[in-house]
Coordinates of all heavy atoms in Angstrom, one line a residue:
V1 N 149.5 45.9 58.2 CA 148.9 45.8 56.9 C 149.1 44.4 56.3 O 150.0 43.7 56.8 CB 149.5 46.9 55.9 CG1 149.2 48.3 56.4 CG2 151.0 46.7 55.8
N2 N 148.5 44.1 55.2 CA 148.5 42.7 54.6 C 148.8 43.0 53.1 O 148.4 44.0 52.5 CB 147.4 42.0 54.9 CG 147.2 41.6 56.4 OD1 148.1 41.0 56.9 ND2 146.2 42.1 56.9
P3 N 149.3 41.9 52.5 CA 149.4 42.0 51.0 C 148.1 42.2 50.4 O 147.0 41.8 50.9 CB 150.0 40.6 50.6 CG 150.7 40.1 51.8 CD 149.9 40.6 53.0
N4 N 147.9 42.8 49.2 CA 146.7 42.9 48.5 C 146.6 41.9 47.3 O 147.6 41.2 47.2 CB 146.5 44.4 48.1 CG 147.5 45.0 47.2 OD1 147.8 44.3 46.1 ND2 148.2 46.0 47.5
Q5 N 145.6 42.0 46.6 CA 145.3 41.0 45.6 C 146.4 41.2 44.5 O 146.6 40.2 43.7 CB 143.9 41.1 45.0 CG 142.8 40.6 45.9 CD 143.2 39.2 46.4 OE1 143.3 38.3 45.6 NE2 143.1 39.0 47.7
A6 N 147.0 42.3 44.2 CA 148.0 42.4 43.2 C 149.3 41.7 43.7 O 149.9 41.1 42.9 CB 148.3 44.0 43.1
H7 N 149.6 41.7 45.0 CA 150.7 41.0 45.4 C 150.5 39.5 45.2 O 151.4 38.8 44.8 CB 151.0 41.1 46.9 CG 151.4 42.6 47.3 ND1 150.6 43.5 47.9 CD2 152.7 43.2 47.2 CE1 151.3 44.6 48.1 NE2 152.5 44.4 47.6
Y8 N 149.3 39.0 45.6 CA 148.9 37.6 45.4 C 148.9 37.2 44.0 O 149.3 36.0 43.5 CB 147.6 37.3 46.1 CG 147.6 37.3 47.7 CD1 147.0 38.2 48.4 CD2 148.5 36.4 48.3 CE1 147.1 38.3 49.8 CE2 148.5 36.4 49.7 CZ 147.9 37.3 50.4 OH 147.9 37.4 51.8
G9 N 148.4 38.1 43.1 CA 148.4 37.8 41.7 C 149.8 37.6 41.1 O 150.0 36.7 40.3
L10 N 150.8 38.4 41.5 CA 152.2 38.2 41.0 C 152.8 36.9 41.5 O 153.4 36.1 40.8 CB 153.0 39.3 41.4 CG 152.8 40.6 40.9 CD1 153.8 41.7 41.4 CD2 152.9 40.7 39.3
A11 N 152.4 36.5 42.7 CA 152.8 35.2 43.3 C 152.2 34.1 42.5 O 152.9 33.0 42.2 CB 152.5 35.1 44.7
Q12 N 151.0 34.2 42.1 CA 150.2 33.2 41.3 C 150.9 33.0 39.9 O 150.9 31.9 39.4 CB 148.8 33.7 41.1 CG 147.8 32.7 40.4 CD 146.5 33.4 40.1 OE1 146.0 34.2 41.0 NE2 145.9 33.1 39.1
L13 N 151.4 34.0 39.4 CA 152.1 33.9 38.0 C 153.2 32.9 38.1 O 153.7 32.4 37.0 CB 152.6 35.3 37.7 CG 151.6 36.3 37.0 CD1 152.3 37.6 36.7 CD2 150.9 35.7 35.8
E14 N 153.7 32.7 39.2 CA 154.9 31.7 39.3 C 154.5 30.3 39.0 O 155.4 29.4 38.7 CB 155.6 31.7 40.7 CG 156.3 33.1 41.0 CD 157.1 33.0 42.3 OE1 157.5 31.9 42.8 OE2 157.5 34.1 42.9
N15 N 153.2 30.1 39.0 CA 152.7 28.7 38.6 C 153.0 28.4 37.1 O 153.1 27.3 36.7 CB 151.2 28.6 38.9 CG 150.9 28.6 40.3 OD1 151.6 28.2 41.1 ND2 149.7 29.1 40.6
D16 N 153.1 29.5 36.3 CA 153.2 29.3 34.8 C 154.4 30.0 34.2 O 154.7 29.8 33.0 CB 152.0 29.8 34.2 CG 150.7 29.1 34.6 OD1 150.6 27.9 34.4 OD2 149.9 29.9 35.2
F17 N 155.1 30.8 35.0 CA 156.2 31.5 34.4 C 157.3 31.6 35.5 O 157.2 31.4 36.7 CB 155.9 32.9 34.2 CG 154.7 33.2 33.2 CD1 153.3 33.3 33.6 CD2 155.0 33.2 31.8 CE1 152.3 33.4 32.7 CE2 153.9 33.4 30.8 CZ 152.6 33.4 31.4
K18 N 158.5 31.9 35.0 CA 159.6 32.3 35.8 C 159.4 33.7 36.1 O 159.3 34.6 35.2 CB 161.0 32.1 35.2 CG 162.1 32.6 36.1 CD 163.5 32.5 35.3 CE 164.7 33.2 36.2 NZ 165.9 33.1 35.5
V19 N 159.3 34.1 37.4 CA 159.0 35.6 37.7 C 160.1 36.2 38.6 O 160.5 35.6 39.6 CB 157.6 35.7 38.5 CG1 157.3 37.1 38.8 CG2 156.5 35.0 37.6
S20 N 160.6 37.3 38.2 CA 161.6 38.1 39.1 C 161.0 39.4 39.3 O 160.6 40.2 38.4 CB 162.9 38.2 38.3 OG 163.5 37.1 37.9
I21 N 160.9 39.7 40.5 CA 160.3 41.1 41.0 C 161.5 41.9 41.5 O 162.2 41.5 42.3 CB 159.3 40.8 42.1 CG1 158.1 40.1 41.6 CG2 158.9 42.2 42.7 CD1 157.1 39.7 42.7
I22 N 161.5 43.1 40.9 CA 162.4 44.1 41.3 C 161.6 45.3 41.9 O 160.9 45.9 41.1 CB 163.3 44.6 40.1 CG1 164.1 43.5 39.4 CG2 164.3 45.8 40.5 CD1 164.7 43.8 38.1
T23 N 161.8 45.5 43.1 CA 160.9 46.5 43.7 C 161.6 47.6 44.3 O 162.7 47.5 44.9 CB 160.0 45.9 44.8 OG1 159.1 46.8 45.3 CG2 160.8 45.3 46.1
Q24 N 161.1 48.8 44.3 CA 161.6 50.0 45.0 C 161.0 50.1 46.3 O 161.4 50.9 47.2 CB 161.1 51.3 44.2 CG 161.6 51.3 42.9 CD 161.2 52.5 42.0 OE1 161.2 53.7 42.5 NE2 160.6 52.3 40.8
N25 N 160.0 49.2 46.7 CA 159.5 49.2 48.0 C 160.2 48.6 49.1 O 161.0 47.5 48.8 CB 158.0 48.5 47.9 CG 157.1 49.2 47.0 OD1 157.3 50.4 46.7 ND2 156.1 48.5 46.5

């Protein structure tokens, strides 16, 4: 499997914000 557009969207947010992901996955 591969990342979907939601995964890529969150990565893209790092261009403008500090982003911390806490995942149950």
Side-chain angles (χ1 to χ4, degrees):
V1 300
N2 293 300
N4 60 55
Q5 288 306 309
H7 293 104
Y8 288 115
L10 289 181
Q12 181 187 327
L13 284 175
E14 291 191 19
N15 295 331
D16 301 297
F17 302 92
K18 176 185 176 183
V19 180
S20 299
I21 295 173
I22 301 168
T23 186
Q24 298 174 55
N25 297 337

